[in-house]
Amino acid sequence: QVQLVESGGGLVQAGGSLRLSCAASGTIVSIRAMGWYRQAPGKQRELVATIGSTGSTNYADSVKGRFSISRDNAKNTVTLQMNSLTPEDTAAYYCYAESGRRTSIYYDPVWGQGTQVTVSS
């Protein structure tokens, strides 16, 4: 079974930057897409950014131009570089990955436990 562990969250001033990292471990057969989601107090969990196995990316409109997602397939990690942070970015950030099976074409969703990002004004 694949597990995801996030790191890099914390408290930062508005306008500052923060880098989140997520490492996959366990029985890794293959990993297709990876990404980051976030959930602010009183709001639904929303997509922040995703990246495919070959590097294609997708961003939420609210973070375009400020956030950048990248991955290292050899290390089974995904990173989210966050710049020009605002208080509206305050949320719990969750790592996501699509985990492949040994003898199947199907992929299973895997989630990390989350890391808190707080942006002060």
Side-chain angles (χ1 to χ4, degrees):
Q1 187 174 359
V2 175
Q3 297 178 349
L4 302 176
V5 179
E6 304 101 332
S7 63
L11 176 64
V12 66
Q13 293 281 329
S17 298
L18 208 60
R19 177 175 291 182
L20 305 182
S21 295
C22 173
S25 62
T27 307
I28 301 174
V29 176
S30 63
I31 294 178
R32 193 166 62 181
M34 301 188 78
W36 291 91
Y37 289 70
R38 68 185 181 186
Q39 187 166 22
K43 296 185 177 181
Q44 297 181 194
R45 185 173 299 187
E46 65 175 353
L47 180 147
V48 177
T50 60
I51 183 167
S53 60
T54 59
S56 61
T57 58
N58 183 41
Y59 296 92
D61 289 341
S62 60
V63 307
K64 287 181 179 178
R66 299 188 298 120
F67 291 10
S68 180
I69 188 171
S70 61
R71 66 188 289 170
D72 186 331
N73 291 335
K75 296 181 179 180
N76 296 311
T77 60
V78 61
T79 299
L80 183 68
Q81 177 65 47
M82 305 184 293
N83 300 322
S84 301
L85 287 163
T86 73
E88 287 67 45
D89 295 315
T90 295
Y93 284 70
Y94 297 88
C95 181
Y96 165 82
E98 296 178 330
S99 178
R101 302 180 183 180
R102 184 74 64 182
T103 58
S104 174
I105 64 171
Y106 299 107
Y107 287 79
D108 301 307
V110 181
W111 293 90
Q113 289 192 343
T115 184
Q116 180 66 38
V117 171
T118 302
V119 184
S120 62
S121 60

